[in-house]
Tab-separated table of all heavy atoms in Angstrom:
chain	number	residue	atom	x	y	z
A	1	LYS	N	82.178	137.744	120.045
A	1	LYS	CA	80.790	137.305	120.113
A	1	LYS	C	80.632	136.009	120.906
A	1	LYS	O	79.531	135.585	121.161
A	1	LYS	CB	80.272	137.066	118.690
A	1	LYS	CG	80.381	138.267	117.779
A	1	LYS	CD	79.951	137.890	116.374
A	1	LYS	CE	80.120	139.044	115.418
A	1	LYS	NZ	79.750	138.669	114.041
A	2	GLY	N	81.741	135.349	121.276
A	2	GLY	CA	81.641	134.078	121.974
A	2	GLY	C	83.005	133.603	122.398
A	2	GLY	O	84.025	134.165	122.023
A	3	SER	N	83.015	132.535	123.196
A	3	SER	CA	84.284	132.049	123.723
A	3	SER	C	84.473	130.558	123.482
A	3	SER	O	85.247	129.919	124.153
A	3	SER	CB	84.366	132.330	125.230
A	3	SER	OG	83.284	131.708	125.911
A	4	THR	N	83.745	129.995	122.512
A	4	THR	CA	83.962	128.599	122.174
A	4	THR	C	84.545	128.504	120.769
A	4	THR	O	84.284	129.365	119.922
A	4	THR	CB	82.668	127.767	122.231
A	4	THR	OG1	81.801	128.143	121.149
A	4	THR	CG2	81.951	127.960	123.559
A	5	LEU	N	85.308	127.460	120.546
A	5	LEU	CA	85.874	127.240	119.220
A	5	LEU	C	84.769	127.064	118.187
A	5	LEU	O	84.845	127.606	117.079
A	5	LEU	CB	86.772	125.997	119.263
A	5	LEU	CG	87.377	125.529	117.944
A	5	LEU	CD1	88.196	126.631	117.302
A	5	LEU	CD2	88.227	124.288	118.172
A	6	ALA	N	83.722	126.337	118.558
A	6	ALA	CA	82.610	126.096	117.641
A	6	ALA	C	81.972	127.407	117.196
A	6	ALA	O	81.703	127.622	116.008
A	6	ALA	CB	81.570	125.194	118.301
A	7	HIS	N	81.723	128.294	118.141
A	7	HIS	CA	81.083	129.576	117.815
A	7	HIS	C	81.958	130.411	116.887
A	7	HIS	O	81.480	131.002	115.910
A	7	HIS	CB	80.804	130.351	119.098
A	7	HIS	CG	80.173	131.696	118.852
A	7	HIS	ND1	78.815	131.892	118.811
A	7	HIS	CD2	80.730	132.914	118.609
A	7	HIS	CE1	78.551	133.161	118.552
A	7	HIS	NE2	79.704	133.807	118.431
A	8	CYS	N	83.268	130.444	117.168
A	8	CYS	CA	84.162	131.272	116.363
A	8	CYS	C	84.329	130.709	114.956
A	8	CYS	O	84.455	131.474	113.998
A	8	CYS	CB	85.514	131.386	117.065
A	8	CYS	SG	85.444	132.354	118.590
A	9	VAL	N	84.333	129.391	114.819
A	9	VAL	CA	84.400	128.787	113.486
A	9	VAL	C	83.168	129.179	112.685
A	9	VAL	O	83.251	129.581	111.520
A	9	VAL	CB	84.509	127.251	113.581
A	9	VAL	CG1	84.251	126.605	112.224
A	9	VAL	CG2	85.891	126.853	114.086
A	10	ARG	N	82.002	129.075	113.308
A	10	ARG	CA	80.763	129.423	112.597
A	10	ARG	C	80.734	130.906	112.235
A	10	ARG	O	80.303	131.294	111.150
A	10	ARG	CB	79.551	129.059	113.458
A	10	ARG	CG	79.302	127.553	113.576
A	10	ARG	CD	77.956	127.262	114.220
A	10	ARG	NE	77.685	125.836	114.253
A	10	ARG	CZ	77.989	125.037	115.276
A	10	ARG	NH1	78.565	125.546	116.364
A	10	ARG	NH2	77.717	123.749	115.227
A	11	THR	N	81.184	131.752	113.163
A	11	THR	CA	81.152	133.189	112.914
A	11	THR	C	82.046	133.586	111.757
A	11	THR	O	81.659	134.371	110.882
A	11	THR	CB	81.581	133.957	114.185
A	11	THR	OG1	80.681	133.661	115.247
A	11	THR	CG2	81.582	135.457	113.936
A	12	LYS	N	83.242	133.035	111.728
A	12	LYS	CA	84.210	133.443	110.709
A	12	LYS	C	84.029	132.727	109.381
A	12	LYS	O	84.153	133.342	108.318
A	12	LYS	CB	85.630	133.207	111.224
A	12	LYS	CG	86.708	133.612	110.215
A	12	LYS	CD	88.090	133.520	110.807
A	12	LYS	CE	89.147	133.963	109.793
A	12	LYS	NZ	90.509	133.924	110.361
A	13	TYR	N	83.728	131.433	109.438
A	13	TYR	CA	83.773	130.635	108.210
A	13	TYR	C	82.401	130.196	107.674
A	13	TYR	O	82.317	129.724	106.563
A	13	TYR	CB	84.630	129.388	108.436
A	13	TYR	CG	86.086	129.702	108.676
A	13	TYR	CD1	86.614	129.678	109.965
A	13	TYR	CD2	86.921	130.026	107.620
A	13	TYR	CE1	87.953	129.968	110.190
A	13	TYR	CE2	88.264	130.321	107.833
A	13	TYR	CZ	88.772	130.286	109.124
A	13	TYR	OH	90.098	130.576	109.339
A	14	VAL	N	81.340	130.334	108.489
A	14	VAL	CA	80.037	129.868	108.037
A	14	VAL	C	79.050	131.026	107.929
A	14	VAL	O	78.558	131.341	106.844
A	14	VAL	CB	79.465	128.789	108.981
A	14	VAL	CG1	78.098	128.325	108.486
A	14	VAL	CG2	80.424	127.607	109.061
A	15	GLU	N	78.780	131.711	109.034
A	15	GLU	CA	77.779	132.772	109.030
A	15	GLU	C	78.182	133.913	108.113
A	15	GLU	O	77.352	134.469	107.391
A	15	GLU	CB	77.577	133.288	110.451
A	15	GLU	CG	76.954	132.253	111.385
A	15	GLU	CD	76.858	132.768	112.806
A	15	GLU	OE1	77.214	133.941	113.044
A	15	GLU	OE2	76.423	131.989	113.678
A	16	GLU	N	79.472	134.280	108.104
A	16	GLU	CA	79.916	135.390	107.272
A	16	GLU	C	79.753	135.070	105.796
A	16	GLU	O	79.389	135.909	104.975
A	16	GLU	CB	81.383	135.719	107.583
A	16	GLU	CG	81.807	137.096	107.118
A	16	GLU	CD	83.138	137.495	107.714
A	16	GLU	OE1	84.170	137.087	107.140
A	16	GLU	OE2	83.156	138.198	108.728
A	17	GLN	N	80.004	133.801	105.443
A	17	GLN	CA	79.827	133.391	104.051
A	17	GLN	C	78.360	133.462	103.644
A	17	GLN	O	78.014	133.899	102.554
A	17	GLN	CB	80.357	131.962	103.868
A	17	GLN	CG	80.136	131.386	102.478
A	17	GLN	CD	80.843	132.212	101.411
A	17	GLN	OE1	81.915	132.748	101.640
A	17	GLN	NE2	80.216	132.319	100.250
A	18	GLU	N	77.458	133.022	104.565
A	18	GLU	CA	76.030	133.088	104.266
A	18	GLU	C	75.581	134.524	104.063
A	18	GLU	O	74.800	134.837	103.168
A	18	GLU	CB	75.244	132.434	105.399
A	18	GLU	CG	75.444	130.920	105.476
A	18	GLU	CD	74.743	130.313	106.676
A	18	GLU	OE1	74.228	131.106	107.507
A	18	GLU	OE2	74.707	129.086	106.795
A	19	GLU	N	76.096	135.459	104.885
A	19	GLU	CA	75.725	136.862	104.752
A	19	GLU	C	76.202	137.421	103.411
A	19	GLU	O	75.506	138.205	102.761
A	19	GLU	CB	76.343	137.660	105.899
A	19	GLU	CG	75.709	137.347	107.256
A	19	GLU	CD	76.435	138.064	108.384
A	19	GLU	OE1	77.407	138.789	108.078
A	19	GLU	OE2	76.042	137.901	109.543
A	20	GLN	N	77.390	137.009	102.972
A	20	GLN	CA	77.906	137.499	101.698
A	20	GLN	C	77.031	137.028	100.548
A	20	GLN	O	76.729	137.774	99.624
A	20	GLN	CB	79.340	136.997	101.507
A	20	GLN	CG	80.316	137.605	102.507
A	20	GLN	CD	81.551	136.747	102.666
A	20	GLN	OE1	81.777	135.822	101.890
A	20	GLN	NE2	82.339	137.049	103.672
A	21	GLU	N	76.614	135.767	100.594
A	21	GLU	CA	75.788	135.229	99.527
A	21	GLU	C	74.422	135.905	99.496
A	21	GLU	O	73.904	136.252	98.436
A	21	GLU	CB	75.644	133.719	99.711
A	21	GLU	CG	76.961	132.969	99.501
A	21	GLU	CD	76.826	131.490	99.795
A	21	GLU	OE1	75.746	131.097	100.270
A	21	GLU	OE2	77.791	130.740	99.568
A	22	GLN	N	73.845	136.133	100.691
A	22	GLN	CA	72.535	136.780	100.744
A	22	GLN	C	72.614	138.230	100.273
A	22	GLN	O	71.663	138.761	99.714
A	22	GLN	CB	71.999	136.718	102.181
A	22	GLN	CG	71.662	135.297	102.626
A	22	GLN	CD	71.337	135.238	104.109
A	22	GLN	OE1	71.312	136.262	104.788
A	22	GLN	NE2	71.083	134.051	104.609
A	23	GLY	N	73.764	138.861	100.486
A	23	GLY	CA	73.914	140.254	100.107
A	23	GLY	C	74.341	140.444	98.667
A	23	GLY	O	74.593	141.569	98.236
A	24	GLY	N	74.481	139.347	97.934
A	24	GLY	CA	74.852	139.451	96.534
A	24	GLY	C	76.306	139.793	96.309
A	24	GLY	O	76.683	140.282	95.241
A	25	LEU	N	77.166	139.550	97.328
A	25	LEU	CA	78.568	139.897	97.210
A	25	LEU	C	79.434	138.688	96.904
A	25	LEU	O	80.645	138.797	96.852
A	25	LEU	CB	79.065	140.533	98.521
A	25	LEU	CG	78.372	141.832	98.930
A	25	LEU	CD1	78.865	142.279	100.298
A	25	LEU	CD2	78.630	142.918	97.896
A	26	VAL	N	78.814	137.555	96.707
A	26	VAL	CA	79.596	136.330	96.558
A	26	VAL	C	80.511	136.376	95.348
A	26	VAL	O	81.625	135.868	95.379
A	26	VAL	CB	78.659	135.106	96.490
A	26	VAL	CG1	77.779	135.173	95.246
A	26	VAL	CG2	79.467	133.816	96.510
A	27	LEU	N	80.123	137.032	94.246
A	27	LEU	CA	80.951	137.081	93.052
A	27	LEU	C	82.179	137.954	93.261
A	27	LEU	O	83.211	137.752	92.628
A	27	LEU	CB	80.142	137.621	91.858
A	27	LEU	CG	78.990	136.734	91.385
A	27	LEU	CD1	78.243	137.425	90.238
A	27	LEU	CD2	79.523	135.365	90.938
A	28	PHE	N	82.084	138.874	94.204
A	28	PHE	CA	83.207	139.768	94.469
A	28	PHE	C	84.181	139.168	95.465
A	28	PHE	O	85.386	139.349	95.354
A	28	PHE	CB	82.675	141.112	95.007
A	28	PHE	CG	83.760	142.067	95.428
A	28	PHE	CD1	84.548	142.707	94.477
A	28	PHE	CD2	83.991	142.318	96.768
A	28	PHE	CE1	85.545	143.585	94.865
A	28	PHE	CE2	84.984	143.197	97.155
A	28	PHE	CZ	85.760	143.831	96.212
A	29	LEU	N	83.651	138.402	96.431
A	29	LEU	CA	84.476	137.932	97.530
A	29	LEU	C	84.837	136.454	97.437
A	29	LEU	O	85.919	136.052	97.826
A	29	LEU	CB	83.747	138.173	98.868
A	29	LEU	CG	83.555	139.632	99.241
A	29	LEU	CD1	82.603	139.735	100.420
A	29	LEU	CD2	84.889	140.272	99.583
A	30	HIS	N	83.944	135.634	96.935
A	30	HIS	CA	84.137	134.204	96.967
A	30	HIS	C	84.847	133.765	95.686
A	30	HIS	O	84.250	133.286	94.743
A	30	HIS	CB	82.791	133.494	97.104
A	30	HIS	CG	82.920	132.022	97.346
A	30	HIS	ND1	83.644	131.514	98.391
A	30	HIS	CD2	82.407	130.956	96.672
A	30	HIS	CE1	83.572	130.192	98.379
A	30	HIS	NE2	82.840	129.832	97.333
A	31	LEU	N	86.197	133.978	95.693
A	31	LEU	CA	86.960	133.741	94.488
A	31	LEU	C	87.761	132.449	94.542
A	31	LEU	O	88.467	132.123	93.596
A	31	LEU	CB	87.928	134.910	94.248
A	31	LEU	CG	87.276	136.286	94.128
A	31	LEU	CD1	88.338	137.351	93.950
A	31	LEU	CD2	86.290	136.305	92.966
A	32	SER	N	87.705	131.719	95.651
A	32	SER	CA	88.495	130.508	95.802
A	32	SER	C	87.984	129.404	94.881
A	32	SER	O	86.787	129.189	94.748
A	32	SER	CB	88.434	130.023	97.257
A	32	SER	OG	89.086	128.775	97.384
């Protein structure tokens, strides 16, 4: 989706987490 470090950090570690929380999957996935 992009070629910058900033974009890839957001895609993997920020945006994906937000999508999980909005989808109600945080209790299943966010176990750390």
